[in-house]
Amino acid sequence: MINLPELFGSMAFNETVMRERLPMEAYKALKNTMKKGVRMDMATANIVANAMKDWAIEKGVTHYTHWFQPLSGITAEKHDGFISPCAGGGIIMEFSGKALIKGESDASSFPSGGLRATFEARGYTSWDPTSYAFIKDGVLCIPTAFCSFSGEALDTKTPLLRSMEALNTQTKRILKLFGNECGRVFSTSGLEQEYFLIDRSTYNQRNDLIYTGRTLFGARPPKGQELDDHYFGSIKIRVSAFMKELNEELWKLGVLAKTEHNESAPAQHELAPIFTTSNIAVDHNQLTMEIMRKVAKRHDLTCLLHEKPFAGINGSGKHNNWAISTDDGTNLLESGETPEENAQFLLIVCAVIKAVDEYQDLLRISAASCGNDHRLGGNEAPPSIISVFLGDELSAILDAIKDGTVYDKKESGSITVGVDALPAFPRDTTDRNRTSPFAFTGNKFEFRMPGSSMSAASSTTFINTIVAESFRQFADKLENASDFTAELNELIRETIKKHERIIFNGNGYDEAWVKLAESRGLSNYITTADCMPHLTDEKNIKLFERHGIYSEKELFARRDILLESYCKQVKIEALVMIEMVRRDIIPSVIPYEKTLADAIIAMKTVSKDLNCRTETALLKQVSELLEQVSDCCDSLEKSVAGICTQPSELHDSLRSCNDVVLRDMQNLRTVTDRLETLVGKDIWPYPSYGRLLYRV
Ligand code: ADP
Ligand code: MG
């Protein structure tokens, strides 16, 4: 039996360890830095660094690393030993405050979108004391932010921290209006992580999975997820052993892994941690993905985090549950008991509605990637139109306020609703709506669009920023109000009227919604190519600059990095398909044709009367399909040759990838998948969908 309370956080330099190991003065200084962002002096940094080192060495650690999250979306680390020579030829183990606070590394191979000229390759990492240091694979990892020599953010964490600061500033202005003071406000995130687990030996037989993380070919198996028998089903022994070890690894690091279950598609699962402060939640999610991959290997499994590893069944998302909390633990998205509390709650909900409506494009962009394009609008994923689900109760209350009509609630009778006479809201009476991209779920919003493999940093950064902007505008109005209640009433009413088009409680998968959304003037960016160029629209540059999240330069750089990575990924996928066809599929099918032809000849030799109808028809079909496969492959080869990922060509390449390359890939896949169903199992060079999905 594991002793969970003892195991939990045993590899994290957390609150308990800090208290135990730091002198009171240093502990207080560190807490001050963590809570209020107060700069730490070098003497204290030295004490903290030394305590971290001693703690780590006791656990067998020899190296440390600044752990950061470059714009490639994954994490990066470069290990340095504690080892340091001393007089007499011996060594001491050393870790200074300077090394803790700041690291300098050659950053030339990380994407910078032109922010860092190649001759100025230096990048700096700086300690994020709000996220605990931890030990991973015998290395002390210091969570850090990553910047260029001239101070521009080269990572996903810096903008996230900046957005938390903006949200803190603007939310406190709103709270003050209601007579509420608090130390700090921050966003909280609960990141549900979906993933697939498949057998490692079958994975190793497929170049598409190895190179791109998804299957580029594969005929549909006779059974997909139509019976819905996997969702919440009993967990297979091998998967269960994986989950057990995964949980233990995560708990050691202080990750609050809580819920695990089978998801809708065969071989698909989910892990949900308990929510925490957003930047920590994002760090923990990055660790979770890394450890999922590692632990899977130990069980001869492969963990697929791609958004759409298999056609025809659900893809994987990373649901971003988002709320705002004060440092005394109050969730500001929790409706209250009194009309005053509820007035504040309603204003906050209105701010979110306004934010989502005004920045639909940004939310869509925060979930856009090459992989996620295959998922959004697919089976279970939300459609690419952004809307907000509020549930019947909250919608009815907002309607009543807007129209100045009577709100009829069974228990409390009818009341005329205004912010001075708000009903106590019943909690969580809403039906769960699984088709909405942005759903209010009782005391938090759940943004369901982000893809499983993406860092949650950018969606969280964007949500924080757009809500901070609504708060800013609200506070500007209300701070100067002569009659607060009247103006508050008016502001809420006005906001609902102006932005109600974004509220949609119906079925987001319904065809009719697309038309309705269009008539409401909502945007519908189907793919990355459609939405990404809007990242640098004037209004977005202004927004991010105003709140100090991205400078104009940083925003352009980010956009270019995303575009470049998109084009490169499409290109790689196309090249992998071409290689698979030319080097594996065609060479496997030709001998099969020969076998058929030989059989026909042999049969005819035995007797002219033998009927070779099946063999002849099959040979005809196979040879015709093989020709089509070859032709489609030629077309794809031509179209992919035109893709250039140089910065000046990015916008053209983006469109060609989206309009031409992906279309040609689909054409090639269609004929190849048809061919797969015609040839014998032993002939086809790759394990089938059936084997991939059902053999764990
Ligand atoms: P479901 O699958 O029904 O959406 P889960 O229990 O799988 O629900 O996931 C809900 C997630 O929302 C969990 O990670 C949970 O910790 C998180 N969550 C709950 N309250 C908050 C909050 N105030 N802020 C952010 N996330 C929250
Ligand atoms: Mg869930």
Side-chain angles (χ1 to χ4, degrees):
M1 265 297 278
I2 57 161
N3 180 344
L4 186 47
E6 202 167 285
L7 185 80
F8 188 82
S10 57
M11 290 298 177
F13 194 80
N14 57 19
E15 200 57 38
T16 324
V17 188
M18 285 176 197
R19 257 183 221 280
E20 243 170 53
R21 298 200 169 237
L22 292 174
M24 190 44 88
E25 280 306 304
Y27 172 75
K28 276 192 190 148
L30 177 54
K31 289 302 287 183
N32 232 359
T33 307
M34 288 170 71
K35 276 201 168 149
K36 301 190 186 133
V38 177
R39 231 186 138 83
M40 186 178 280
D41 63 73
M42 201 41 87
T44 315
N46 278 327
I47 296 171
V48 175
N50 206 49
M52 275 185 187
K53 180 202 68 183
D54 289 344
W55 168 78
I57 287 176
E58 282 167 33
K59 293 181 181 292
V61 169
T62 51
H63 287 68
Y64 72 92
T65 181
H66 276 196
W67 183 77
F68 58 103
Q69 300 168 39
L71 291 169
S72 49
I74 49 173
T75 58
E77 45 194 81
K78 182 191 96 190
H79 304 169
D80 276 302
F82 291 130
I83 190 168
S84 177
C86 65
I91 56 141
I92 51 165
M93 299 296 260
E94 197 178 58
F95 185 45
S96 67
K98 191 164 162 273
L100 166 67
I101 290 178
K102 202 166 187 182
E104 191 178 325
S105 65
D106 176 1
S108 52
S109 291
F110 293 110
S112 80
L115 281 179
R116 191 201 49 238
T118 354
F119 61 83
E120 184 41 272
R122 271 180 302 171
Y124 287 106
T125 47
S126 52
W127 180 32
D128 167 18
T130 58
S131 184
Y132 300 137
F134 56 90
I135 296 172
K136 179 170 67 72
D137 298 330
V139 176
L140 172 66
C141 300
I142 315 288
T144 56
F146 180 45
C147 298
S148 75
F149 183 63
S150 41
E152 278 109 1
L154 291 175
D155 67 349
T156 55
K157 171 170 253 182
T158 308
L160 174 60
L161 292 174
R162 292 172 181 166
S163 77
M164 292 181 71
E165 201 48 57
L167 188 68
N168 173 48
T169 309
Q170 302 302 337
T171 313
K172 281 194 338 209
R173 290 177 67 194
I174 296 292
L175 295 186
K176 203 165 167 205
L177 293 169
F178 292 89
N180 295 324
E181 303 273 347
C182 70
R184 230 185 134 69
V185 175
F186 47 86
S187 58
T188 50
S189 306
L191 303 167
E192 301 169 52
Q193 180 69 49
E194 293 178 337
Y195 60 96
F196 280 83
L197 274 186
I198 60 169
D199 185 79
R200 193 153 183 80
S201 64
T202 39
Y203 165 86
N204 278 331
Q205 291 169 51
R206 296 203 52 132
N207 277 349
D208 45 3
L209 286 174
I210 292 172
Y211 286 125
T212 73
R214 74 174 180 116
T215 53
L216 299 168
F217 297 106
R220 307 285 156 91
K223 177 176 182 247
Q225 65 187 59
E226 42 287 278
L227 296 180
D228 285 325
D229 51 354
H230 193 255
Y231 191 58
F232 285 10
S234 80
I235 299 173
K236 288 180 181 165
I237 295 171
R238 213 167 145 200
V239 174
S240 168
F242 159 86
M243 287 180 171
K244 182 171 180 289
E245 195 175 327
L246 172 65
N247 284 333
E248 285 174 17
E249 293 288 334
L250 292 174
W251 291 332
K252 279 188 212 163
L253 292 166
V255 177
L256 291 154
K258 164 111 172 142
T259 310
E260 57 193 25
H261 59 81
N262 284 352
E263 260 300 331
S264 314
Q268 192 186 27
H269 312 278
E270 178 185 302
L271 179 137
I274 297 172
F275 72 94
T276 181
T277 316
S278 292
N279 65 315
I280 296 173
V282 170
D283 281 2
H284 281 180
N285 177 256
Q286 293 281 8
L287 277 174
T288 302
M289 293 194 288
E290 181 181 335
I291 289 166
M292 276 178 166
R293 288 199 176 99
K294 258 186 210 155
V295 172
K297 274 189 196 163
R298 289 188 216 141
H299 291 260
D300 281 328
L301 295 165
T302 296
C303 172
L304 300 176
L305 289 164
H306 193 283
E307 284 75 16
K308 193 75 178 174
F310 304 100
I313 54 174
N314 281 3
S316 300
K318 183 179 332 253
H319 297 178
N320 190 337
N321 293 273
W322 177 93
I324 319 173
S325 175
T326 63
D327 53 1
D328 65 6
T330 310
N331 178 356
L332 297 177
L333 288 177
E334 193 95 52
S335 62
E337 306 290 335
T338 63
E340 297 77 49
E341 281 171 358
N342 278 338
Q344 180 185 298
F345 165 75
L346 265 193
L347 187 68
I348 293 174
V349 169
C350 282
V352 176
I353 294 170
K354 170 180 156 74
V356 175
D357 187 29
E358 286 178 347
Y359 295 99
Q360 298 164 45
D361 52 348
L362 285 184
L363 287 176
R364 176 66 187 88
I365 288 166
S366 77
S369 73
C370 182
N372 216 16
D373 275 1
H374 300 288
R375 167 181 166 261
L376 291 182
N379 252 309
E380 196 214 26
S384 33
I385 305 165
I386 301 278
S387 64
V388 178
F389 168 86
L390 291 180
D392 296 338
E393 201 87 41
L394 194 50
S395 297
I397 291 168
L398 293 186
D399 274 345
I401 295 178
K402 183 191 67 172
D403 304 333
T405 53
V406 160
Y407 170 66
D408 197 3
K409 187 162 138 289
K410 283 174 195 72
E411 306 95 74
S412 56
S414 303
I415 39 171
T416 305
V417 186
V419 289
D420 40 358
L422 282 168
F425 300 153
R427 246 163 251 175
D428 222 358
T429 55
T430 54
D431 258 355
R432 306 284 271 115
N433 178 321
R434 302 215 167 255
T435 63
S436 172
F438 206 90
F440 184 68
T441 52
N443 60 359
K444 62 188 188 299
F445 281 93
E446 182 174 0
F447 184 34
R448 298 211 185 87
M449 267 189 175
S452 46
S453 72
M454 304 170 90
S455 158
S458 83
S459 49
T460 311
T461 303
F462 287 15
I463 299 172
N464 286 347
T465 310
I466 63 180
V467 173
E469 172 60 15
S470 291
F471 285 161
R472 184 190 70 84
Q473 292 183 23
F474 285 1
D476 280 354
K477 269 219 176 90
L478 294 174
E479 275 167 356
N480 302 314
S482 45
D483 179 344
F484 179 69
T485 309
E487 294 201 24
L488 175 63
N489 257 312
E490 188 46 37
L491 179 61
I492 291 183
R493 187 167 299 135
E494 218 175 68
T495 309
I496 301 167
K497 269 199 183 132
K498 196 158 169 212
H499 299 290
E500 65 181 341
R501 63 172 189 166
I502 199 77
I503 299 168
F504 179 62
N505 293 325
N507 178 5
Y509 295 173
D510 199 343
E511 276 297 311
W513 168 229
V514 180
K515 293 227 167 64
L516 180 60
E518 197 183 332
S519 71
R520 290 187 186 183
L522 300 181
S523 54
N524 184 4
Y525 297 117
I526 313 254
T527 64
T528 302
D530 301 327
C531 68
M532 197 56 78
H534 293 287
L535 179 58
T536 45
D537 283 357
E538 193 56 35
K539 78 176 210 323
N540 296 335
I541 298 176
K542 276 209 178 107
L543 167 82
F544 286 123
E545 283 207 321
R546 165 172 287 135
H547 293 278
I549 316 297
Y550 300 106
S551 66
E552 182 169 353
K553 222 167 132 192
E554 285 173 332
L555 200 62
F556 271 92
R558 256 197 91 80
R559 185 201 63 190
D560 286 351
I561 290 166
L562 291 165
L563 295 185
E564 190 182 323
S565 137
Y566 170 88
C567 294
K568 282 182 176 165
Q569 281 180 56
V570 172
K571 195 169 173 175
I572 290 169
E573 287 188 349
L575 294 177
V576 172
M577 283 185 106
I578 294 166
E579 188 187 88
M580 287 171 82
V581 166
R582 292 223 201 286
R583 307 197 56 188
D584 294 336
I585 295 172
I586 295 179
S588 307
V589 176
I590 292 173
Y592 183 58
E593 289 175 319
K594 180 166 185 309
T595 311
L596 289 171
D598 287 349
I600 296 165
I601 294 167
M603 286 163 82
K604 291 281 181 208
T605 336
V606 173
S607 158
K608 284 246 170 337
D609 298 338
L610 279 177
N611 175 348
C612 306
R613 231 179 50 220
T614 308
E615 294 77 2
T616 319
L618 186 56
L619 180 57
K620 187 162 181 288
Q621 262 184 309
V622 169
S623 72
E624 275 169 7
L625 269 175
L626 192 63
E627 210 148 284
Q628 290 178 34
V629 167
S630 177
D631 290 346
C632 287
C633 196
D634 290 346
S635 307
L636 178 59
E637 202 161 33
K638 274 200 203 91
S639 55
V640 80
I643 302 300
C644 167
T645 51
Q646 289 304 313
S648 57
E649 310 270 329
L650 277 179
H651 285 269
D652 288 345
S653 296
L654 177 72
R655 287 288 8 146
S656 319
C657 282
N658 189 76
D659 303 342
V660 183
V661 181
L662 283 167
R663 180 204 60 200
D664 288 353
M665 283 165 62
Q666 187 51 50
N667 289 343
L668 175 57
R669 174 170 187 156
T670 306
V671 285
T672 312
D673 288 358
R674 216 174 290 150
L675 184 59
E676 182 187 346
T677 63
L678 290 181
V679 306
K681 270 199 192 101
D682 305 335
I683 308 293
W684 200 250
Y686 304 113
S688 66
Y689 262 36
R691 276 193 55 205
L692 290 166
L693 292 171
Y694 294 101
R695 295 294 169 86
V696 165

